[in-house]
Amino acid sequence: MEGVEGFLLVNEGLVAAMMKKASSTAPGEELISANILKVFWEWDRQIFTGLVRACIRVRHHLEPWKTARGVVIPKANKPDYSQVRVYRVISLLDTISKLIERMAAHLIGDHLERSKGLHEGQYYGCRRRRATVDAVVMLMNRTERVWECKKLAGTLLMDVQAAFNNTNSRLLRRRMRELGVQEDIVRWTGSFMKDRYVRLVLDGTEGELHKVETGIPQGSPAAPILFITYLSGIFEEVEWECKGVRALSFADDISWWAEGKTKEEVANKLSNASKVACRWGDKNGSPSIITKARQFSLAARGKHPWQRSEQEAQRSSLTKRPPGGSECGWTHILHSGTTRKSC
């Protein structure tokens, strides 16, 4: 598929497949449901196919589709709902717009899978046939191999702050070009993220329109693949600068994994990984990329190689506040060794 423009890959069969994925979720500003769209699809398929191809070909996302209804939803099991951060905004987008976004997401994902732009063992979530259990099996498989060599292993888990909201359009498009994504798709992405507006809806009450300066609308079919494309650069940088550290991610949750002969060796590797990760965030528009960080020692059941006193834990390099301002501590994971899979 090298050198082939994205719009040339769009055909009626592919649009039909995208149409089948249209769900019955709440419509956007135009109040046209997916079911109504499917009726019109059966009436004249060529119009929809031509519309999708034209949007990709001219590298433009129409202005009426850039206004979203942002429904404010509280996060579950939070102690204090007077805090703004315990709420998330889900964007309800126009149904026709979501059809085009779904097509763009398919073209980007298909290119990255074919070109192996996303490392096979790093990225889970937001990809086909990459589930949570696969990420866990990959982590435990790495660890069990290290145990067989009589070494220690540990992982540092990090969470990306406001993942979709902090995605920078210019840096995302630069990363897409680095990964060889078709230029018409890259420029369509720029148009899709430019001059967006949102009308917040809280408890059924609609507010005024507000311009969105940065980020990808959470709720867009294109948001997951665009986000992991944007974030993919952090893994290359950390693994290049921190020899022996391996990355694993599920959407906006990141795991840095390291092995060593001593707990100090593993802790130093993970500490360096956290610093490089935060530096990457500073360079790429996410200065507070890390909101939570937690270091885990991985030990077989019945063995506690990293057990220490509370005083020792306080002196650990990773119990200090890492760059980015998040807390980090130690937790022990005991594994029975019954789960094994060759990856």
Side-chain angles (χ1 to χ4, degrees), residues 84-156:
V84 175
R85 64 175 177 270
V86 302
Y87 294 85
R88 65 163 54 92
V89 178
I90 302 298
S91 298
L92 301 182
L93 307 171
D94 288 357
T95 309
I96 297 178
S97 173
K98 292 175 75 172
L99 174 64
I100 296 167
E101 295 162 33
R102 193 173 289 110
M103 177 61 68
H106 170 81
L107 295 176
I108 296 170
D110 184 67
H111 168 80
L112 294 177
E113 296 293 344
R114 290 175 179 271
S115 65
K116 300 188 183 302
L118 300 178
H119 191 279
E120 185 68 20
Q122 287 180 342
Y123 308 95
Y124 294 85
C126 310
R127 297 174 69 190
R128 294 188 298 271
R129 297 180 293 277
R130 301 293 194 284
T132 308
V133 67
D134 298 313
V136 174
V137 168
M138 175 66 75
L139 179 65
M140 296 313 305
N141 187 64
R142 290 177 181 174
T143 303
E144 288 177 354
R145 292 179 180 178
V146 168
W147 291 344
E148 292 172 358
C149 298
K150 308 301 182 183
K151 292 183 179 180
L152 303 178
T155 184
L156 175 66

Side-chain angles (χ1 to χ4, degrees), residues 123-314:
Y123 308 95
Y124 294 85
C126 310
R127 297 174 69 190
R128 294 188 298 271
R129 297 180 293 277
R130 301 293 194 284
T132 308
V133 67
D134 298 313
V136 174
V137 168
M138 175 66 75
L139 179 65
M140 296 313 305
N141 187 64
R142 290 177 181 174
T143 303
E144 288 177 354
R145 292 179 180 178
V146 168
W147 291 344
E148 292 172 358
C149 298
K150 308 301 182 183
K151 292 183 179 180
L152 303 178
T155 184
L156 175 66
L157 303 184
M158 290 182 165
D159 181 71
V160 181
Q161 179 181 11
F164 293 97
N165 295 337
N166 282 335
T167 302
N168 182 286
S169 175
R170 179 180 61 84
L171 298 174
L172 168 61
R173 285 179 281 128
R174 184 183 70 184
R175 181 59 180 166
M176 292 172 74
R177 291 189 176 100
E178 291 173 354
L179 294 173
V181 177
Q182 296 93 334
E183 186 62 25
D184 52 357
I185 302 294
V186 175
R187 295 196 180 187
W188 173 88
T189 301
S191 175
F192 168 68
M193 296 179 65
K194 183 180 179 182
D195 297 329
R196 298 201 64 91
Y197 291 85
V198 64
R199 187 190 308 276
L200 294 180
V201 181
L202 179 61
D203 293 334
T205 302
E206 297 190 358
E208 298 180 354
L209 280 178
H210 295 277
K211 188 171 183 179
V212 179
E213 300 294 341
T214 188
I216 310 170
Q218 188 169 351
S220 166
I225 190 65
L226 289 176
F227 172 71
I228 66 171
T229 301
Y230 171 74
L231 191 64
S232 62
I234 193 174
F235 305 111
E236 292 183 2
E237 185 157 335
V238 171
E239 289 190 347
W240 174 259
E241 294 198 25
C242 304
K243 303 303 181 183
V245 173
R246 300 175 68 181
L248 189 67
S249 73
F250 190 93
D252 61 345
D253 296 310
I254 302 173
S255 163
W256 305 114
W257 180 94
E259 63 176 277
K261 295 181 179 180
T262 65
K263 58 181 180 291
E264 289 78 13
E265 180 184 353
V266 176
N268 288 334
K269 289 180 179 179
L270 296 179
S271 180
N272 290 335
S274 72
K275 294 175 183 178
V276 175
C278 292
R279 188 172 70 233
W280 182 92
D282 292 335
K283 294 190 301 182
N284 290 274
S286 300
S288 299
I289 188 171
I290 307 304
T291 54
K292 297 185 289 289
R294 189 78 183 176
Q295 180 169 313
F296 294 84
S297 63
L298 301 171
R301 186 173 297 280
K303 299 180 180 179
H304 310 272
W306 288 13
Q307 280 189 338
R308 301 171 298 167
S309 65
E310 187 66 25
Q311 291 75 18
E312 288 178 306
Q314 293 299 324

Side-chain angles (χ1 to χ4, degrees), residues 47-109:
I47 288 181
F48 285 92
T49 303
L51 176 63
V52 174
R53 292 193 73 183
C55 287
I56 302 298
R57 183 172 187 175
V58 302
R59 307 163 179 182
H60 183 67
H61 198 68
L62 295 178
E63 301 300 323
W65 297 338
K66 295 184 179 183
T67 299
R69 297 174 70 225
V71 180
V72 181
I73 300 176
K75 299 178 182 179
N77 303 320
K78 297 297 181 180
D80 183 7
Y81 284 94
S82 65
Q83 303 294 320
V84 175
R85 64 175 177 270
V86 302
Y87 294 85
R88 65 163 54 92
V89 178
I90 302 298
S91 298
L92 301 182
L93 307 171
D94 288 357
T95 309
I96 297 178
S97 173
K98 292 175 75 172
L99 174 64
I100 296 167
E101 295 162 33
R102 193 173 289 110
M103 177 61 68
H106 170 81
L107 295 176
I108 296 170

